[in-house]
Amino acid sequence: MSSERPAPKTETLDAFHRGAFHVLQPKGEGHRSGSDAMLLASLVAQEGPITVADIGAGAGAAGMAVASRLAGAQVTLVERSSLMADYARRSVALAENAHLADRVSVIEADVTLTGRARVAAGLADHSFDHVIMNPPFNNADDRTTPDRLKAEAHAMTDGLFEAWLRTAGAITVAGGQLSLIARPESVSDIIAACGKRFGGIEMTLIHPRPDADATRILLTAIKGSKARLIFRAPLFLHGEDGHAFLERADNLNNGRSAYARRTGRQARVG
C-alpha cells in the first residue's frame, strides 16, 4: 500500500452563473474572482451586438460573465500576467465553455501601455463599446500577501486609476461605457481620472448588510457625456440575519439580471 500523499491541488474549476460557465483559477497564488467580478459584469446591460474589453481580466471571470448573459457580446480579456492570461485562455477553451469560445478572446498586454505600443498589443483606439475593470484595490501601504502575483493584482499604486482610465478612454468609442468596481476610498481618484474623458457618472455604494458600512462601489460613466453625477440607491448584498444573498443581489451575481444605468449610454454626449 503506497504511503505517498496526493499532490496538492494547485488550481480549481469554479462554476459561475449557476453552472452557465466555468473558470480555472490558481489556488494559493494570483487573484481569484468571485462576487465582485459578477457584479462588475452586471453593469453591461446593452442588448444586441457589442464589443467589450475586460482590462486587468485575471482568469477572465467578469468578461466571460458578460458573454454568458449577453449573446451578442464579443469580449476581449486583457491581462498583463502571463500566468493569469494562460488561465484565461485555458478557461475559454474548456468544454464547459464551448458555447462562449467563439465570442471570447485573450490579449496578454499591460493595461498601462500607451500610444503605438498599446495599439501594437491589440488595443486599438475607439474599438470597444464597453470597457470593464476591477483594478487593484489595496493601498500600497497595507499589509500585503507574500505571494508576489497576488500582491500585484491587489496593490493599488500611485496614478493607477489615471493610467487605467487613460487606456479605457482611448479604446472606447464615443458614447461608450466605462464600468468598474472599487473600494469607496478610491472615489476621488476615480472621478479625477474620469476628468473630461468620461461623464454622466452613476455610482452605487455596495453594503454587505443594511447595518454595515459600504465596502465597494459600482461606477459607470459614458465617454464624452456632460451629464451630472448621480448617486444611486445603495445595494445591499445580504440581510441582517444571514450570509445568503438577497434576491436582487443574487440575480445580479448569477447573471439573471443586469444593473442597467438610470440614464442610458447616450445621455448628453458631446
Side-chain angles (χ1 to χ4, degrees), residues 13-265:
L13 178 62
D14 302 309
F16 291 89
H17 286 185
R18 298 194 182 276
F21 71 98
H22 293 70
V23 179
L24 281 168
Q25 301 193 86
K27 185 177 181 180
E29 63 176 333
H31 173 71
R32 291 179 58 82
S33 295
S35 60
D36 280 8
M38 298 302 101
L39 292 173
L40 172 61
S42 75
L43 297 174
V44 182
Q46 184 182 356
E47 300 291 341
I50 55 171
T51 53
V52 181
D54 178 2
I55 63 176
M64 293 176 69
V66 174
S68 171
R69 181 169 47 81
L70 298 174
Q74 291 282 342
V75 178
T76 301
L77 308 175
V78 184
E79 173 56 42
R80 180 183 69 172
S81 161
S82 296
L83 175 66
M84 297 308 297
D86 183 62
Y87 270 101
R89 294 188 194 97
R90 291 168 57 206
S91 293
V92 173
L94 289 169
E96 294 91 337
N97 297 331
H99 58 300
L100 306 178
D102 63 344
R103 294 189 291 112
V104 182
S105 59
V106 180
I107 292 177
E108 189 174 325
D110 189 336
V111 171
T112 64
L113 288 173
T114 60
R116 292 181 180 178
R118 173 178 49 74
V119 174
L123 296 172
D125 291 346
H126 319 305
S127 52
F128 294 98
D129 300 306
H130 291 259
V131 172
I132 66 174
M133 63 176 73
N134 180 7
F137 50 73
N138 287 336
N139 188 286
D141 295 329
D142 292 345
R143 180 181 177 184
T144 58
T145 171
D147 171 26
R148 180 189 60 80
L149 188 61
K150 185 178 293 186
E152 289 179 356
H154 288 180
M156 180 172 55
T157 56
D158 289 342
L160 179 145
F161 287 105
E162 172 62 27
W164 282 48
L165 267 66
R166 179 181 60 226
T167 292
I171 66 177
T172 307
V173 300
Q177 180 174 314
L178 165 73
S179 302
L180 63 84
I181 187 168
R183 284 190 172 182
E185 53 263 40
S186 297
V187 166
S188 60
D189 290 337
I190 295 168
I191 292 176
C194 281
K196 295 182 179 179
R197 300 173 180 126
F198 295 96
I201 295 171
E202 295 188 6
M203 196 179 308
T204 302
L205 288 170
I206 303 175
H207 298 255
R209 290 174 299 280
D211 60 348
D213 292 339
T215 57
R216 296 287 187 273
I217 57 169
L218 291 176
L219 182 145
T220 62
I222 303 301
K223 183 175 177 179
S225 173
K226 299 185 183 302
R228 294 180 179 180
L229 180 150
I230 294 175
F231 282 96
R232 302 182 61 174
L235 175 64
F236 302 110
L237 299 184
H238 312 286
E240 296 178 354
D241 56 354
H243 298 287
F245 280 114
L246 296 174
E247 182 178 5
R248 187 183 190 195
D250 189 59
N251 287 338
L252 296 173
N253 188 57
N254 285 295
R256 290 192 293 266
S257 63
Y259 192 73
R261 283 176 55 85
R262 278 188 53 196
T263 56
R265 289 181 60 233

